[in-house]
Amino acid sequence: MGGVMIRINENYLKLEASYLFSEIAKRVAAFQESHPEQEIIKLGIGDVTRALPKACLDAFHTAVDEMGDDASFRGYGPEQGYLFLRQKIAEKDFQARGADIGEDEIFVSDGAKCDTGNLQEIFATDITIAIPDPVYPAYLDTNVMAGRTGLFNDGRYDGIVYMEGKWENGFVPALPDQKVDLIYLCFPNNPTGTTIGKDQLKTWVDFARDNRALILFDAAYEAFIRDDQLPHSIYEIEGAREVAIECRSYSKTAGFTGTRCAYTVVPKSCRAWSVDGSSHLLNQLWNRRHTTKFNGVSYPVQRAAEAVYSPEGQAQTHALVNYYLRNAELIRNEIGKLGYECIGGENGPYIWVKAKTDSWRFFDTLLKKAGVVCTPGAGFGRCGEGYVRFSAFNHFEKVQTAMARIGEAL
Ligand code: MLT
């Protein structure tokens, strides 16, 4: 068989064999198979364990019933999301915090992972990308798939500007020392749990403005912020409307990892340029992409998300997040007692621990000796080597058991 044949996107060959969380799931499944008696406690992937808040569940049920009646049945909805949800988002998540965002700047979607992964599509393939290290792997992998990098060498892709997070800088990287076009930031941070203050975030906004660059700000964990001084949105920073896109999610805020609902804000004042030097509105480009490739989130799910903003929904989601933050506090305290240094877990669900050894080795030891799953820091980039991440998403009693077992194992 010779001649013409279907060919693959060769960029996929540059990727590591499997996505970080798939690799972990594979290792855990293999261990479970050979140790069926071991009850494994997962503090690895950040997946919620508690039921949907009642306000969301009630709204979900009501909307499902509406779908069962010809009179209230709905077919395709607006690709950008129903106005009832976008209006609530604009009002409660932004305007209430002094951030000037309107409902026509919001795009409801099925996940922040999808949005942060898909957004790169509206930019040229030869732009320069600045990515923190350690980082949530989807930002990087999607740019590799799009062909914005060279090969993977010694833990790094050629062509990417890595912004290094270290213990010494509290895992908030310094501004790039070269011109870059698209900057990925995530606060409260995944994987390190670290946060950023308004003044520091302003330096990033100013940098983007000075360089005609754009920030992709992932705020999926903003509901975990308990320190009143910290910004919940990049649009609380003056000047951000021109240079930032923000992604949010109901996954961790309201237990929607299996329900799927998120949104992205693309302000009408964000621009990027074509080769002839003319500027283009990113809101229009993203709208074109979204309407072409996406048919919207289901009606009942959007009603469930809307319920987050009701008084009961606000109280219930706050309590839900507090539950996980109590887990985070327990993990921080117990890990500290065992003589390990850590950061995070105060305004975010992740605790970033100095492993005192190679991070995959720590992962294996914990799995084998304690039956507890964490995430090896090296999976988030070269600067993550020597660290592991604990997720606070589990039942409190399981976290207690996990910490007791870790105490015996280490
Ligand atoms: C994580 O564990 O980093 C997250 O759960 C992954 C995600 O939200 O996709």
Side-chain angles (χ1 to χ4, degrees), residues 34-46:
S34 54
H35 300 81
E37 74 297 342
Q38 173 75 66
E39 184 230 2
I40 294 176
I41 301 177
K42 293 184 182 166
L43 304 177
I45 190 166

Side-chain angles (χ1 to χ4, degrees), residues 19 21 44-47 113 136-137 190 221 251-252 350 375 380 389 391:
Y19 185 63
F21 294 107
I45 190 166
D47 192 7
K113 177 181 180 179
Y136 176 49
N190 180 14
Y221 299 96
S251 283
K252 320 290 156 93
Y350 298 121
T375 307
F380 298 105
R389 188 194 79 173
S391 148

